[in-house]
Amino acid sequence: MIAIVLTLCMVLTMNSAVFATTVAPSTAGTYDYVALGASQTTGYGAETGTAYPDQLKAQLASTGKTVNLTNQAMANMRAEEVRMLLDDTYKGDSYTAKMFAGGLDKQRAATKAAVKNAELITVEVGMNNFGVFALQQIISGGTLFDTNLEGIA
């Protein structure tokens, strides 16, 4: 059984809320854990080994569990890039094309293989989507903010 832990970035407070389901251990007693997301997942600006996937791995290890962590996160990733890694039919946009310039097939294959075998998956996306939206607001003089909140997602 694959459990998915979804981390939602709370736009107003810049905090994260984590929602989890029960994780069933593999028959070998080891959890294969895949982290997908952006800079919060890679630990940008944090000391090595202190990103939240590392902390979750350490917490599980402290209960006697063996955890193999595969961190497939990339700085600046949006929901579109996560979808592109998991959906062969999704073509993305011009930003997505730049994110994977010359390496999409290899990155997609590695991500899909890791996810296929995972007992635990975390996904942290959304802040970069909001950042793009906020930039559009600045460029447009703020005309989109009060008329089209659906554009954030």
Side-chain angles (χ1 to χ4, degrees):
M1 174 175 142
I2 294 178
I4 297 177
V5 177
L6 177 60
T7 305
L8 300 172
C9 294
M10 306 308 284
V11 173
L12 296 176
T13 63
M14 301 301 179
N15 290 326
S16 296
V18 178
F19 303 91
T21 61
T22 304
V23 179
S26 68
T27 55
T30 299
Y31 289 93
D32 287 321
Y33 167 31
V34 177
L36 301 172
S39 56
Q40 295 88 345
T41 307
T42 65
Y44 178 79
E47 292 182 32
T48 302
T50 62
Y52 83 81
D54 300 303
Q55 292 180 34
L56 180 56
K57 177 184 176 180
Q59 184 66 33
L60 289 169
S62 74
T63 66
K65 307 211 175 8
T66 302
V67 180
N68 297 321
L69 170 61
T70 303
N71 194 331
Q72 291 293 106
M74 294 173 58
N76 301 316
M77 192 175 278
R78 303 171 303 156
E80 292 85 348
E81 286 76 50
V82 172
R83 179 178 175 191
M84 192 166 219
L85 289 174
L86 300 172
D87 180 355
D88 293 338
T89 64
Y90 183 65
K91 302 301 180 204
D93 58 18
S94 60
Y95 181 84
T96 304
K98 291 176 189 173
M99 285 287 295
F100 298 114
L104 174 61
D105 292 339
K106 183 177 179 181
Q107 184 73 20
R108 181 181 276 158
T111 300
K112 289 174 83 172
V115 166
K116 180 179 179 182
N117 297 314
E119 284 82 33
L120 177 63
I121 300 167
T122 57
V123 180
E124 170 276 312
V125 291
M127 282 308 297
N128 292 314
N129 289 80
F130 179 74
V132 169
F133 181 78
L135 181 59
Q136 290 170 342
Q137 292 305 305
I138 293 167
I139 292 169
S140 72
T143 59
L144 300 175
F145 185 73
D146 55 6
T147 60
N148 186 10
L149 293 179
E150 292 178 2
I152 293 173

